[in-house]
Amino acid sequence: MKFGKYIRIMVTVLFVLFGLAFQSYAGNISGTISSVKIDSQNKDLIQVDASLDITPLNQEREVYLFELQPYQHSIDVPMNPLASSPVLSNLKFSVSLKKENQDTRLYSAFCLAIREAGQYKIISNKHYITNPELIAPNQSEALNRGIKGLGVDSDYQEAIALGIKHAGINIATKDIFGKGITYSYKGKNYNINASTLLSLDTQIKAYSDAGVAVTAVIVNAWNTEQPELNLPGLTQLPSEQALYYQFNTSSKKAVDSLEALASFLAKRYNGQNGYGKITNWVIGNEINNQRWNHANVNDEGQYIQDFQDAFRIFYTAIKSESANDNVMFSIDHYWNIPTEAQATTTYSGKSIVDTFAYINQVEGAIDWGLALHPYPYPMNSPMFWKERDERYGVSSYFSDSVDSPIVDFVNLHVVTDYMQSPGLLDTNGKVRTIFLTEEGFSSVTGSGDMATQQAAAIAYSYYIAANNPYIKAYILSRQEDHEEELKSGLAVGLSVKYEDGKRVDKPAKEVFRLIDTEQSKAVSEFAKTVVGVTEWEELIPGFRYP
């Protein structure tokens, strides 16, 4: 089935699933909102373009424009329309971006309705503003001096010395709210944890001052300070079942708190306030696996609709402050099969991408990006180049087609090829931003020490990413081995710290330090023998050193 046809079928399904169906009433009327944008000439106005499908046209009737919030799915009393128009084939509305109480419609969606039997009934899709970047005070291009990056720990000086171009950090919502700083949003004061902010400020400013682009992964850890960020009806689960949770957008209080959080972070780290700059944002973590984004929802369509409602809040907050920041969501390496052996609901990465893209198109196309985690399969072996060898036992999980069950570095092109599909291009017709925001290779396996193989894996995988024009960042997951991961047999850091506090660097660290420099060829020469080739061109078509 062709991709374009598949999109049309799925969009119809989504209309039904999410209450977006074009409802037919007297005169067989339905509508479509095709564009909601801030006016480029008058940034205090929102321009809404829509059309009606009605036979025959009846200009004695009126169609109404309503404003909706993410938690609203119908028009309830005492909601009033923003504007009205006679029933025409093509409609245009202009509404103010600001409300009378100095609130904003920046995060609002809009829909068409008609009045029947004393009630307003929705007849169109729900459509959000798609160009919040127009009002951003920071219009500078996103910083990207190269693809090499690292998930950093507190030793930011060492990370900078490794020559990284990207620094990956995690920000958990539960750590943001607390005491020490007051942030006012929509007439309410929110308490922000000053000690958390001091730590973030120090790191982010250090990287920014060094010319390193910061990538922040925003995760919703169970929140006691702002419990409305937790989905109603959920209880905190053991960590082996859920570490992070879906953002809640099901009530006004939840949406206001999420907007406050998103706007606070976007403003503080817009690069113009002395705290440094976050350039790339990943909302949620590996959302195809509910251990990392738990919602207790089995239906994939509803799960992604709820996630996208939260994603749009972050996207709008970020892009309205820094026009060219990248805003992404992440998936793991399970491309066409659900994650195995998990205690919570999982989905395939590809179906998550597809469903997100469909809903995005219906509710207003924005320029989201994809963050991929192409860990080896199995994760505890660094030798990903053996995965397609039948003797290795996992070759059936890999192919060069879009139907490949797993995607990691051995077939990374499967994802970048797929993201070139017409239905997945951004609003300018280009391939979306694709980052590799988390990958790593263990230096220890059940077979013993694999430090040399880990170093070779870093060299080979970096070259694969660097020679793929659609990969914009390659961010190794760990600066240092992580205690909890070590219990699972994963030692993916560039260094290891022993119980006595002594820190020992692995061979991988020097390879990583030099892999994007003029010494790249020399530092990676050993890896050819480990991988089993005489020249990288045997494995990477058109290969070029950095």
Side-chain angles (χ1 to χ4, degrees):
M1 184 179 291
K2 291 185 178 179
F3 186 74
K5 182 179 179 182
Y6 188 51
I7 285 181
R8 289 193 295 273
I9 293 172
M10 284 302 298
V11 166
T12 301
V13 172
L14 287 171
F15 282 153
V16 175
L17 282 176
F18 308 129
L20 297 170
F22 294 164
Q23 302 173 43
S24 292
Y25 300 108
N28 192 30
I29 182 172
S30 64
T32 302
I33 295 182
S34 57
S35 176
V36 179
K37 291 187 175 183
I38 299 170
D39 192 309
S40 60
Q41 302 301 314
N42 183 350
K43 296 176 184 179
D44 291 327
L45 288 180
I46 302 168
Q47 302 294 348
V48 180
D49 292 342
S51 60
L52 294 178
D53 183 6
I54 178 173
T55 305
L57 289 175
N58 181 359
Q59 295 188 33
E60 293 181 1
R61 298 196 64 181
E62 285 193 303
V63 62
Y64 301 91
L65 181 72
F66 276 86
E67 174 184 7
L68 295 175
Q69 302 306 318
Y71 52 86
Q72 294 176 315
H73 307 288
S74 62
I75 298 171
D76 304 313
V77 176
M79 293 172 63
N80 295 312
L82 298 177
S84 63
S85 168
V87 171
L88 303 170
S89 295
N90 296 299
L91 305 170
K92 288 185 178 294
F93 300 96
S94 294
V95 296
S96 173
L97 181 60
K98 294 180 180 179
K99 299 182 182 180
E100 292 179 1
N101 61 358
Q102 296 304 304
D103 195 356
T104 178
R105 293 192 171 95
L106 187 62
Y107 298 90
S108 299
F110 302 85
C111 70
L112 300 177
I114 61 169
R115 190 170 177 85
E116 277 200 343
Q119 294 183 326
Y120 291 106
K121 298 181 180 181
I122 296 174
I123 61 167
S124 77
N125 56 317
K126 180 179 181 179
H127 199 298
Y128 290 87
I129 291 171
T130 58
N131 64 337
E133 64 275 5
L134 196 67
I135 62 172
N138 185 347
Q139 293 285 330
S140 59
E141 290 298 316
L143 175 66
N144 193 336
R145 297 170 47 237
I147 70 167
K148 188 174 82 173
L150 183 63
V152 296
D153 57 30
S154 58
D155 192 348
Y156 54 84
Q157 293 178 332
E158 181 199 57
I160 293 170
L162 289 172
I164 60 171
K165 310 304 185 292
H166 298 270
I169 64 172
N170 292 333
I171 300 178
T173 56
K174 71 178 182 65
D175 297 328
I176 296 298
F177 294 104
K179 296 180 180 180
I181 297 174
T182 300
Y183 180 66
S184 295
Y185 185 80
K186 289 187 174 180
K188 179 181 177 181
N189 290 334
Y190 293 85
N191 296 317
I192 307 297
N193 190 317
S195 61
T196 296
L197 266 292
L198 177 61
S199 176
L200 285 174
D201 292 350
T202 301
Q203 278 197 80
I204 294 169
K205 188 174 189 308
Y207 290 121
S208 299
D209 290 347
V212 175
V214 176
T215 295
V217 181
I218 313 297
V219 290
N220 190 34
W222 190 261
N223 209 301
T224 55
E225 288 288 338
Q226 301 293 143
E228 67 272 15
L229 292 179
N230 306 322
L231 286 169
L234 279 190
T235 56
Q236 187 173 12
L237 295 176
S239 60
E240 61 269 18
Q241 292 181 264
L243 284 174
Y244 305 122
Y245 297 80
Q246 178 92 287
F247 292 102
N248 181 24
T249 60
S250 66
S251 69
K252 182 180 188 306
K253 186 175 183 180
V255 166
D256 285 350
S257 294
L258 196 58
E259 287 179 11
L261 170 68
S263 65
F264 174 80
L265 292 173
K267 288 177 185 293
R268 190 172 186 88
Y269 299 115
N270 70 358
Q272 298 181 338
N273 296 313
Y275 302 115
K277 179 78 180 77
I278 296 176
T279 301
N280 310 298
W281 307 74
V282 181
I283 311 306
N285 181 57
E286 295 185 355
I287 64 169
N288 57 314
N289 182 348
Q290 283 199 35
R291 187 188 179 205
W292 305 104
N293 195 59
H294 184 64
N296 197 31
V297 173
N298 291 321
D299 181 82
E300 184 177 358
Q302 188 60 58
Y303 172 70
I304 292 302
Q305 175 69 67
D306 294 343
F307 173 77
Q308 188 162 137
D309 287 344
F311 183 94
R312 277 189 184 270
I313 289 174
F314 279 101
Y315 182 94
T316 299
I318 292 162
K319 299 290 271 189
S320 63
E321 285 294 327
S322 297
N324 294 300
D325 280 8
N326 297 303
V327 189
M328 302 168 274
F329 65 87
S330 70
I331 58 174
D332 62 24
H333 59 188
Y334 287 91
W335 180 240
N336 268 295
I337 58 174
T339 310
E340 301 162 303
Q342 292 292 318
T344 54
T345 304
T346 62
Y347 316 94
S348 72
K350 178 177 174 292
S351 67
I352 292 291
V353 170
D354 289 345
T355 307
F356 190 98
Y358 303 144
I359 299 171
N360 174 71
Q361 194 64 37
V362 171
E363 296 191 346
I366 53 176
D367 288 332
W368 54 271
L370 180 64
L372 180 65
H373 296 174
Y375 280 102
Y377 184 89
M379 283 183 65
N380 62 355
S381 174
M383 297 181 290
F384 66 87
W385 52 89
K386 288 192 173 184
E387 291 165 344
R388 301 185 76 163
D389 186 333
E390 291 184 2
R391 294 170 295 180
Y392 200 57
V394 296
S395 60
S396 62
Y397 287 88
F398 295 90
S399 77
D400 288 315
S401 79
V402 71
D403 299 321
S404 181
I406 301 289
V407 168
D408 65 9
F409 282 99
V410 77
N411 61 344
L412 183 64
H413 68 89
V414 167
V415 172
T416 55
D417 289 349
Y418 188 65
M419 294 301 289
Q420 296 173 58
S421 303
L424 290 173
L425 300 178
D426 70 13
T427 58
N428 294 309
K430 297 180 179 179
V431 176
R432 295 180 183 276
T433 298
I434 305 173
F435 274 35
L436 310 182
T437 51
E438 193 181 314
E439 62 269 355
F441 310 93
S442 184
S443 61
V444 178
T445 71
S447 303
D449 181 78
M450 290 281 177
T452 300
Q453 288 84 348
Q454 180 197 37
I458 288 175
Y460 182 15
S461 63
Y462 178 86
Y463 288 152
I464 291 171
N467 282 274
N468 186 321
Y470 302 109
I471 301 300
K472 303 305 180 185
Y474 165 99
I475 303 176
L476 285 180
S477 60
R478 293 289 181 193
Q479 190 171 344
E480 183 181 285
D481 286 346
H482 188 271
E483 183 177 352
E484 289 300 314
E485 291 176 348
L486 287 171
K487 294 176 183 177
S488 302
L490 293 175
V492 299
L494 299 178
S495 304
V496 58
K497 183 179 287 186
Y498 293 101
E499 292 182 0
D500 61 3
K502 184 179 179 182
R503 183 168 175 169
V504 177
D505 295 338
K506 303 177 188 179
K509 184 175 180 180
E510 185 69 359
V511 172
F512 180 75
R513 184 175 74 86
L514 297 174
I515 197 65
D516 63 337
T517 71
E518 293 180 353
Q519 300 178 64
S520 182
K521 182 176 182 179
V523 80
S524 66
E525 195 67 19
F526 80 99
K528 295 178 186 176
T529 302
V530 177
V531 174
V533 295
T534 56
E535 299 296 338
W536 291 115
E537 287 86 348
E538 298 171 38
L539 299 171
I540 305 172
F543 172 79
R544 295 180 63 183
Y545 284 104

